[in-house]
Amino acid sequence: MGGPRTSIFLRQKKFQFVLVAAVVVFLIVLFPNLYDSEDYEKEYPLLLENEQLVICYESNVDSRKALEIRYTKKVSMFPVGLIGDYGISSPIVRNGRVEGFFDSWPAKRKWPVDMAGFAVSLEYLALSPNATMPFKAGYEEDEFLKSIGLKLEDIEPKARNCTEILVWHTQTKSSKSPTVRISMDRQKLDKLNLGALLRRLESMGVNHISESEGTTAQAIVNGSVKPFSFWFS
């Protein structure tokens, strides 16, 4: 049986509970619109309309990206601007299919993509209950996508077959626009998404294309570096 001290302790706890409850009721009465479900629906419409996707985006993301990735069936991908020595990281698309990647840091990654450059549907993710994203600087995306058993044919290219930039890799430091060396007939690149994508970037001043100067542009296929002639030989 409890003694006087136990009784005092219980009365104190009861008083604290009543006090907290009173404060909550006071706030609800004073600010009836403090939480409004309609406001929540306006702020997170995609999450409520399509529960198959978890969508996280920041102010540096074009709203159209959010609209496009809501229809992701498995894994969708799109270019990310202002990143690396090319000024862009993007899937390489031909005839509506992803066949490789355009990224200045191969690092033997099978999936050389930026964290902001892909979306995964929860329905597809649920097929890989052991999916992981181990902390390994620069390899988180690659390890995660490998852990869910992703295949090239599973990827859905967004942003008009990866010819537009709907997300940017922002930084708080200034840097010069990179020069990318492509020593081949650039018209051939029009058979890939890179033709339109690189013209768009150059017109925006994001990068510059040269036949003799700059970082030599290469492609990545299954973790191996390939020249662009790989697609035209």
Side-chain angles (χ1 to χ4, degrees), residues 99-141:
E99 296 187 355
F101 296 90
F102 186 63
D103 190 282
S104 62
W105 191 60
K108 297 182 179 180
R109 294 179 297 164
K110 182 177 181 179
W111 306 112
V113 296
D114 185 72
M115 193 70 74
F118 68 93
V120 182
S121 77
L122 291 183
E123 185 176 13
Y124 180 69
L125 181 61
L127 299 177
S128 302
N130 296 319
T132 59
M133 186 183 288
F135 176 72
K136 185 179 179 182
Y139 292 85
E140 292 88 350
E141 303 92 338

Side-chain angles (χ1 to χ4, degrees), residues 56-134:
C56 299
Y57 56 93
E58 301 176 6
S59 58
N60 61 329
V61 176
D62 190 307
S63 60
R64 223 186 78 210
K65 174 194 171 186
L67 292 174
E68 287 199 21
I69 64 177
R70 64 185 291 192
Y71 298 109
T72 299
K73 296 178 180 178
K74 291 184 178 180
V75 176
S76 60
M77 291 189 178
F78 21 82
V80 179
L82 296 176
I83 184 172
D85 294 336
Y86 299 160
I88 188 73
S89 174
S90 172
I92 297 175
V93 181
R94 179 168 61 172
N95 298 326
R97 294 170 59 91
V98 174
E99 296 187 355
F101 296 90
F102 186 63
D103 190 282
S104 62
W105 191 60
K108 297 182 179 180
R109 294 179 297 164
K110 182 177 181 179
W111 306 112
V113 296
D114 185 72
M115 193 70 74
F118 68 93
V120 182
S121 77
L122 291 183
E123 185 176 13
Y124 180 69
L125 181 61
L127 299 177
S128 302
N130 296 319
T132 59
M133 186 183 288

Side-chain angles (χ1 to χ4, degrees), residues 9 22 49 53 83 118 132 152 155 165 193 203 233:
F9 175 78
E49 291 176 13
L53 294 180
I83 184 172
F118 68 93
T132 59
L152 273 177
I155 302 174
I165 305 95
N193 66 309
S203 68
S233 57

Side-chain angles (χ1 to χ4, degrees), residues 6 25 42 59 79 82 86 113 131 148 171 188 195 203 210-211:
T6 302
V25 172
K42 291 177 182 178
S59 58
L82 296 176
Y86 299 160
V113 296
I148 63 175
Q171 294 183 347
K188 290 184 177 181
S203 68
S210 171
E211 294 184 359

Side-chain angles (χ1 to χ4, degrees), residues 42 50-51 53-54 73-75 81 123 135 140-141 143 145 152 155 159 167-168 186-187 199-200 206 208-209 211:
K42 291 177 182 178
N50 187 348
E51 295 181 356
L53 294 180
V54 174
K73 296 178 180 178
K74 291 184 178 180
V75 176
E123 185 176 13
F135 176 72
E140 292 88 350
E141 303 92 338
E143 294 297 329
L145 293 174
L152 273 177
I155 302 174
V167 58
W168 301 89
R186 288 183 59 186
Q187 290 185 346
R199 279 196 300 273
R200 188 182 300 275
V206 174
H208 306 285
I209 307 300
E211 294 184 359

